[in-house]
Amino acid sequence: MNNKAQGIRHKAQSEKIIIAVLSSILCILLLSGCTKEDKVFKKTRTEMFTTVTITVVSDSDKKAEEAIDAGFAEIRRIGELINYFSPDSELTAVNRSAGKGPVKVSRETLDTIMKAIHTADVTGGAFNPTIGPVIKLWGFSKKESERFVPSRDSVSAALRFVDYKKVKINEAASEVYLEDAGMELDLGGIAKGYGADKAIEVIRAKGIKAALVAIAGDIRGYGMRPDGQPWRVGVQNPRSKADKKSPDDDILTALYLTDQAISTSGDYERFFTEDGKRYHHIIDPKTGFPSESQAISVSVIAPEGYISDGISTGVFVLGSQKGIALLESMGLEGIIVDADMKAYITKGLKGIVEMPGMQ
Ligand code: AMP
Ligand code: MG
């Protein structure tokens, strides 16, 4: 055989090898990414005093169920550690020892408190986790008939205990100390987002490729749906239509999440009315009264749930102008709806989000 013929044979052989290698890579890819078999599994339960829905994508019923159960168990565990209302929670132990001495807490409790203090710093105190004594006074957890507007004097008295700079952390010893007797931490503005983060952590550790954890309005997701699309999350209309025909009638706009979190803070979540005025559960730490920033709903998209949760509560207090400026300075996205149903959005959502009342 001459050199030319040999060369052609070699070329043909190496082409065969390349084709064989490429087709085996394709086979492996098809097998490993076997999206055809993937299904969506979803369960809803009550945890942290609210509705929690966990959705996972898996090709195995058993794996999906185990991961969902692990997610719920983690949310319960975190909820028990930082529950303001439980006499047995670590948070209550810290509050009870205010002015007396430091309390040793778990890594998770310490972590949530440190994240809450950081959020207070970045929002200039609009988010304030030492708001506890004021929240207690307003009694938002009580029955509607037992709620009333507290006197200005009692609000001023409670406000004296609100100072997040007096929360002393000893990270090495995992200890927390509230300097003044009467101070109380309330992590209600950040706990659900943090819980969603922790649930995602355990679900991911179970080898699940995509999941969405929704603790009421605090939602964290990762990965894609089996159809290759991101997770769709509706932003609720803060003034629900009385004549709604389907749940979609209550959606202002839809947002699409992959490896992100979204939280919504709204004045419709917990409130009571007295003399025709709405008193809601997001308190301006400067006044001790429900925030009058004119925001009625704030949705924030962030890389993690504790950020979207804490920041949405803080931005609610700041209002549309300062709120959008803060979000943009932090590189976050968000939507703020005000009392006139005008919607303000961050620059990054322009052209992506369409909704009524957009400014
Ligand atoms: P969210 O629904 O996440 O906006 O949180 C609201 C909850 O956070 C309230 O029920 C209170 O427990 C707590 N809270 C209210 N006002 C504030 C505030 N200004 N800063 C931090 N937490 C707050
Ligand atoms: Mg919040």
Side-chain angles (χ1 to χ4, degrees), residues 55-351:
T55 313
V56 303
V57 175
S58 178
D59 54 10
S60 146
D61 295 31
K62 190 168 169 280
K63 224 167 113 178
E65 190 148 333
E66 273 174 21
I68 289 177
D69 287 347
F72 281 125
E74 182 66 354
I75 292 168
R76 175 167 300 183
R77 187 178 76 86
I78 299 295
E80 282 171 357
L81 290 173
I82 56 180
N83 180 353
Y84 176 87
F85 302 101
S86 158
D88 306 320
S89 75
E90 287 191 343
L91 189 73
T92 300
V94 170
N95 288 342
R96 235 189 256 131
S97 287
K100 292 184 197 144
V103 173
K104 197 169 180 68
V105 293
S106 61
R107 194 168 44 85
E108 291 82 352
T109 300
L110 189 80
D111 196 26
T112 324
I113 295 172
M114 285 171 63
K115 285 178 159 78
I117 292 170
H118 177 70
T119 309
D121 273 331
V122 298
T123 58
F127 177 92
N128 191 325
T130 56
I131 199 78
V134 181
I135 298 287
K136 195 155 73 182
L137 196 61
W138 281 92
F140 288 108
S141 57
K142 290 187 188 152
K143 279 190 239 138
E144 171 96 45
S145 57
E146 290 169 12
R147 300 176 192 171
F148 56 89
V149 179
S151 70
R152 292 213 163 254
D153 283 352
S154 59
V155 171
S156 309
L159 265 182
R160 275 184 229 126
F161 300 112
V162 178
D163 185 352
Y164 74 90
K165 300 236 161 76
K166 289 187 173 174
V167 182
K168 299 295 166 192
I169 305 279
N170 181 339
E171 204 179 342
S174 201
E175 285 177 351
V176 186
Y177 177 46
L178 309 181
E179 282 188 333
D180 294 346
M183 280 180 75
E184 280 192 352
L185 284 167
D186 169 3
L187 301 172
I190 199 166
K192 297 198 291 299
Y194 183 75
D197 289 340
K198 298 299 285 182
I200 286 287
E201 226 173 87
V202 300
I203 291 168
R204 210 194 274 264
K206 293 263 175 203
I208 295 291
K209 61 180 81 164
L212 191 73
V213 173
I215 309 184
D218 296 288
I219 304 167
R220 167 93 189 262
Y222 76 92
M224 299 282 196
R225 294 164 40 85
D227 58 8
Q229 296 300 310
W231 299 102
R232 181 183 187 270
V233 176
V235 173
Q236 194 180 324
N237 185 336
R239 296 292 177 263
S240 172
K241 290 181 199 156
D243 61 344
K244 66 173 179 224
K245 290 181 185 70
S246 82
D248 263 9
D249 282 356
D250 257 358
I251 301 294
L252 269 190
T253 188
L255 293 169
Y256 293 88
L257 296 189
T258 49
D259 297 341
Q260 286 155 311
I262 176 169
S263 291
T264 300
S265 292
D267 73 347
Y268 53 90
E269 285 171 48
R270 251 181 285 158
F271 67 94
F272 63 91
T273 31
E274 198 175 290
D275 299 331
K277 191 171 155 67
R278 180 189 291 246
Y279 294 93
H280 60 79
H281 69 144
I282 302 176
I283 302 294
D284 184 341
K286 283 200 182 125
T287 63
F289 277 74
S291 156
E292 304 239 17
S293 70
Q294 295 304 304
I296 62 169
S297 163
V298 174
S299 299
V300 172
I301 304 173
E304 291 182 73
Y306 83 88
I307 305 174
S308 58
D309 191 355
I311 297 295
S312 66
T313 307
V315 164
F316 192 104
V317 173
L318 291 174
S320 57
Q321 224 184 330
K322 286 184 189 160
I324 293 288
L326 175 69
L327 292 175
E328 289 181 346
S329 76
M330 293 179 74
L332 303 177
E333 304 301 338
I335 300 173
I336 303 174
V337 181
D338 76 9
D340 301 325
M341 289 302 285
K342 282 189 189 146
Y344 300 84
I345 61 173
T346 48
K347 283 195 197 98
L349 290 182
K350 300 228 159 100

Side-chain angles (χ1 to χ4, degrees), residues 34-52:
C34 228
T35 48
K36 252 206 248 150
E37 298 292 322
D38 283 338
K39 282 188 286 175
V40 173
F41 297 83
K42 192 171 173 175
K43 265 195 206 172
T44 298
R45 269 192 219 161
T46 299
E47 296 290 353
M48 283 185 159
F49 308 106
T50 192
T51 306
V52 179

